[in-house]
């Protein structure tokens, strides 16, 4: 790309202040919707099954179920994953509550295999 060809993309490189604020608020409300749903329907499980509105974690009944068990380890993954977003969105009250939940309830003393990719992205 050079200055001449870059001009085609100028409309996509800049957001007006009002558009930036609108998008920031939209992202924040989308996060809050997901976070609140997780805390209401799924905590302390790893994630929320949005179809059935229930928590999902390891399949303890079927340890061979690698579709679930390779990614989920009963580690409150969504809550841990949400901590940084709570900070970015400035919700310090909920960050403190969530941090306490993680400190008091997260336990890595489990007989499970951790999927490196899932652990790394969090």
């Amino acid at each position: 790309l050079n200055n001449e060809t870059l001009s085609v993309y100028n409309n996509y490189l800049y957001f007006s202040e009002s558009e930036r604020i609108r998008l920031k608020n939209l992202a924040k409300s989308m996060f809050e919707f997901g976070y609140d749903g997780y805390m209401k329907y799924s905590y302390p499980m790893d994630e929320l099954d949005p179809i059935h509105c229930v928590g999902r974690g390891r399949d303890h009944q079927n340890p061979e179920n690698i579709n679930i068990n390779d990614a989920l380890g009963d580690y409150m993954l969504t809550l841990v994953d949400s901590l940084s977003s709570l900070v970015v969105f400035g919700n310090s009250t909920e960050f403190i509550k969530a941090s306490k939940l993680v400190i008091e309830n997260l336990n890595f003393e489990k007989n499970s295999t951790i999927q490196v990719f899932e652990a790394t992205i969090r």
Side-chain angles (χ1 to χ4, degrees):
L1 290 172
N2 58 39
N3 284 341
E4 190 174 310
T5 58
L6 192 59
S7 67
V8 174
Y9 303 102
N10 279 344
N11 290 337
Y12 304 104
L13 299 176
Y14 172 78
F15 293 110
S16 67
E17 183 66 9
S18 63
E19 183 69 357
R20 185 189 66 75
I21 291 170
R22 184 185 75 78
L23 292 172
K24 178 184 84 168
N25 290 336
L26 180 60
K28 182 177 180 180
S29 72
M30 290 171 66
F31 168 79
E32 289 170 347
F33 176 79
Y35 179 81
D36 292 344
Y38 167 77
M39 293 305 289
K40 181 176 181 179
Y41 299 108
S42 187
Y43 171 81
M45 303 292 283
D46 283 317
E47 63 185 20
L48 174 65
D49 174 355
I51 302 296
H52 303 101
C53 232
V54 295
R56 185 165 47 190
R58 291 188 64 76
D59 184 351
H60 296 282
Q61 304 302 320
N62 181 9
E64 303 302 315
N65 183 357
I66 62 171
N67 181 45
I68 295 295
N69 293 336
D70 264 9
L72 305 177
D74 292 332
Y75 298 117
M76 301 183 292
L77 293 175
T78 297
L79 184 61
V80 171
D81 210 14
S82 298
L83 293 174
S84 59
S85 295
L86 290 167
V87 171
V88 167
F89 288 122
N91 191 340
S92 58
T93 303
E94 191 61 30
F95 173 79
I96 291 168
K97 287 180 190 176
S99 296
K100 285 181 181 179
L101 289 172
V102 169
I103 291 166
E104 293 170 358
N105 298 297
L106 183 58
N107 178 4
F108 292 107
E109 299 297 322
K110 299 177 188 280
N111 185 16
S112 61
T113 302
I114 305 302
Q115 209 251 17
V116 175
F117 175 76
E118 289 296 324
T120 303
I121 65 171
R122 286 168 165 73

